Amino acid sequence: MNLDELANRYLDGQASAEEVLQLDHLLRTQAASRRHFADLANLDSALAEQAAGWEPQPLSKPAPAKPLRTAPSRLCLAAAATIAVLITSAWWWQSSTHIYATVARGIGLTEFPQGMEIYRKHYSIQSGTVEFITARGARVVIEAPASFQFASAQLLHLKQGRLAADVPPAAKGFTVITPTGKAVDLGTKFGVDVPADGQAEIHVFQGEVIAQSDKGGKRQSLRDGEAYSLQSGAGAAREIRSAAFIQPDEMQALQAALTSGQRARSDAAIAALRQDESLIALLDFEEETLPSGTFRMTQGRWPGSRAPEFVHVGDHMKLTAGGNGRSWPQLTLAAWVRLDRLGQPYQSLYHTDGWDEDKPGQVHWMINRDSTMRLALKHNTLAPGAVEKQGFPDSLTPVLPEQGRWVHLAVVYDAPAATVRFYLNGRFDKETRQATAHPALLGPAQIGNWNSKDRKLSGRVDELILLGRAMTDDEIRALFDAGNPYH
């Protein structure tokens, strides 16, 4: 009987006393056998942890232990003790020298160069995104801020951060341990989000994942399009945020843009815009002091940059600009947006406080349930012949949040010309004419939630611009080209 057969019988608890002695002899005399046995033992341990209890079976009364025969038992016990010592030694040796993953690319950071080998070590990153390929071929993208440690090629502890995994069949069983539970892959693409405060979440993009909360939480099978919050003791289903995770196939485009100097071109364009006398507000969210509100700061569209993220109903950022009773005959609103999902009925981008009868021109900018844009101004009316779904100007082309990409949204309002013009990713999309066109009225407003009931925002916003003039088609196109993170 060879080493594999002996080891498998031993790990399955089926080895006879003679077979245990044969295995003991191999491990004592052959270093290669010891290393191979440690691999098999680690794999057996991981699989046992993942499979235990997943398909509950009726408990049977345990059979009474058979008395050990005296002489062989002593030999067997001695051999087993030796094997235990060898396993511990081999595990320690393997943990400190074995390569669990390799860095495929790191963007927005320098501490993870391409090709870097990852061992059993704790890592922490404050900015940027890094992609690993595990020893079994799983592609894992981790987004800062993050704190993590590979315990093996199949086991990753994620204390904080956001992770997207693409797991091939060879790596089936890849497991992510979080502070409030774990996710066990059964052949899939999935994401794990561990905020600094709050419960970890699992989002399944494709395939199946087993989720289990700590402290007695039951195992939960999650499939395509499902998400789960790992609350201690009891998990809970939640809305999936499919675009909240940077996927492995997005990394190459982000890296190419940074390498080509796209970030510098974007910074130059923003610096020029800050000199525009018509600028009302420009938020790139890089300042330490940010407007108040309820939001989570995450990575912006550039690895290493920052952007607010809105997840729950009520999440918002307050913004007071362009107020003091001043009205704006022309107004351009623009922002980079990464929507996690479509909300019902609206996703709120920018809403002035209130929708008051005595305040014509109050501005509400949002995404509709069909993922088109809308710009509504209080008491404005459509021109005769304008065909709109609900009486407000809407864009024509959906913003396609399911693609999981940053998109550039812009709308240009011109009261004297009585027009609303929509732009998606720098391209003109649609113009709606107005019969009544009040000057825009700004002032206190919110990015994100409005009304706390029917309008939320699920996603991130970067580089929000309010400009008190109508930008031209060429200017909108140039703004997109300069800021596009996928060039």
Side-chain angles (χ1 to χ4, degrees):
M1 193 172 290
N2 62 32
L3 176 61
D4 281 343
E5 293 170 330
L6 288 170
N8 288 330
R9 287 186 58 77
Y10 175 80
L11 293 172
D12 290 341
Q14 297 176 344
S16 65
E18 182 180 355
E19 290 166 345
V20 170
L21 290 175
Q22 292 177 19
L23 177 61
D24 176 62
H25 175 73
L26 289 175
L27 297 180
R28 283 176 176 276
T29 57
Q30 300 177 9
S33 295
R34 290 196 292 273
R35 288 193 292 272
H36 185 59
F37 182 80
D39 285 338
L40 294 174
N42 279 349
L43 175 60
D44 181 77
S45 177
L47 291 176
E49 181 182 358
Q50 294 154 15
W54 162 230
E55 294 180 349
Q57 300 294 324
L59 295 176
S60 57
K61 186 177 180 180
K66 296 180 180 179
L68 296 173
R69 290 172 294 177
T70 306
S73 297
R74 289 198 184 100
L75 290 174
C76 187
L77 288 172
T82 301
I83 290 173
V85 171
L86 291 172
I87 289 175
T88 302
S89 301
W91 175 85
W92 178 87
W93 174 86
Q94 185 185 50
S95 296
S96 59
T97 61
H98 200 79
I99 301 169
Y100 294 141
T102 303
V103 175
R105 55 173 58 87
I107 51 177
L109 41 70
T110 58
E111 59 266 45
F112 288 95
Q114 184 175 7
M116 175 180 173
E117 296 171 339
I118 301 299
Y119 301 91
R120 185 186 180 92
K121 179 182 175 183
H122 177 263
Y123 299 94
S124 180
I125 55 175
Q126 299 305 313
S127 63
T129 304
V130 59
E131 177 183 359
F132 302 98
I133 300 178
T134 70
R136 293 197 180 186
R139 304 183 77 89
V140 180
V141 173
I142 296 180
E143 190 176 339
S147 176
F148 59 92
Q149 180 183 39
F150 279 93
S152 75
Q154 289 290 88
L155 186 62
L156 173 64
H157 289 269
L158 183 65
K159 185 177 181 181
Q160 181 193 354
R162 191 168 301 189
L163 170 154
D166 186 347
V167 184
K172 182 178 180 179
F174 179 73
T175 300
V176 179
I177 305 291
T178 79
T180 54
K182 64 183 177 181
V184 182
D185 160 80
L186 294 182
T188 188
K189 296 179 180 180
F190 69 99
V192 179
D193 185 13
V194 184
D197 300 312
Q199 310 294 336
E201 295 178 0
I202 299 171
H203 297 256
V204 179
F205 315 130
Q206 178 183 337
E208 183 179 6
V209 166
I210 304 304
Q212 184 179 24
S213 298
D214 279 346
K215 300 180 180 177
K218 295 181 179 178
R219 287 173 170 80
Q220 181 76 25
S221 173
L222 305 177
R223 297 181 181 274
D224 302 18
E226 294 183 327
Y228 198 70
S229 177
L230 291 171
Q231 302 168 5
S232 294
R238 61 150 300 137
E239 299 171 332
I240 189 167
R241 296 183 292 130
S242 57
F245 301 82
I246 295 178
Q247 303 289 340
D249 60 2
E250 188 180 350
M251 291 287 287
Q252 185 175 0
L254 291 171
Q255 185 181 41
L258 282 181
T259 303
S260 70
Q262 184 68 358
R263 175 71 185 272
R265 287 189 285 274
S266 177
D267 291 344
I270 291 303
L273 196 56
R274 290 188 188 280
Q275 304 304 314
D276 193 311
E277 293 181 351
S278 298
L279 184 66
I280 301 171
L282 196 165
L283 297 178
D284 62 4
F285 307 105
E286 293 302 317
E287 298 80 8
E288 286 301 320
T289 302
L290 295 170
S292 62
T294 302
F295 51 87
R296 172 185 174 188
M297 288 305 292
T298 57
Q299 186 166 262
R301 71 190 191 285
W302 306 111
S305 67
R306 302 199 307 161
E309 182 180 49
F310 309 91
V311 178
H312 307 289
V313 173
D315 284 2
H316 68 280
M317 175 181 283
K318 293 183 178 297
L319 175 63
T320 299
N324 298 321
R326 181 176 177 180
S327 60
W328 301 88
Q330 295 182 323
L331 179 68
T332 298
L333 301 103
W336 284 93
V337 180
R338 187 185 181 105
L339 290 178
D340 295 345
R341 54 180 294 279
L342 288 181
Q344 293 289 345
Y346 306 107
Q347 300 261 9
S348 174
L349 297 174
Y350 172 91
H351 277 59
T352 53
D353 290 353
W355 187 248
D356 305 317
E357 292 298 323
D358 61 346
K359 294 181 179 178
Q362 284 184 312
V363 176
H364 287 186
W365 183 31
M366 68 197 83
I367 304 294
N368 298 314
R369 70 188 70 191
D370 63 357
S371 78
T372 57
M373 264 186 290
R374 171 172 296 174
L375 182 71
L377 274 73
K378 183 67 176 178
H379 289 321
N380 273 13
T381 60
L382 297 175
V387 178
E388 298 290 352
K389 297 185 290 289
Q390 294 178 308
F392 299 104
D394 290 337
S395 69
L396 181 64
T397 306
V399 301
L400 299 177
E402 68 276 13
Q403 288 189 346
R405 293 289 191 274
W406 286 93
V407 293
H408 189 252
L409 308 179
V411 58
V412 175
Y413 177 64
D414 190 332
T419 57
V420 176
R421 294 171 63 83
F422 295 97
Y423 298 82
L424 173 61
N425 284 337
R427 295 184 179 278
F428 170 70
D429 178 69
K430 179 188 172 187
E431 177 181 283
T432 298
R433 295 197 58 80
Q434 304 271 262
T436 304
H438 294 285
L441 184 64
L442 302 180
Q446 289 191 173
I447 306 167
N449 170 73
W450 187 77
N451 199 15
S452 298
K453 294 180 180 178
D454 67 347
R455 297 183 198 184
K456 57 177 290 187
L457 177 63
S458 182
R460 312 181 208 184
V461 175
D462 199 1
E463 202 178 281
L464 178 76
I465 296 169
L466 276 67
L467 191 65
R469 65 177 177 83
M471 296 185 81
T472 66
D473 290 3
D474 288 343
E475 287 180 306
I476 295 287
R477 181 68 191 185
L479 188 64
F480 164 76
D481 285 340
N484 184 3
Y486 304 118
H487 261 202

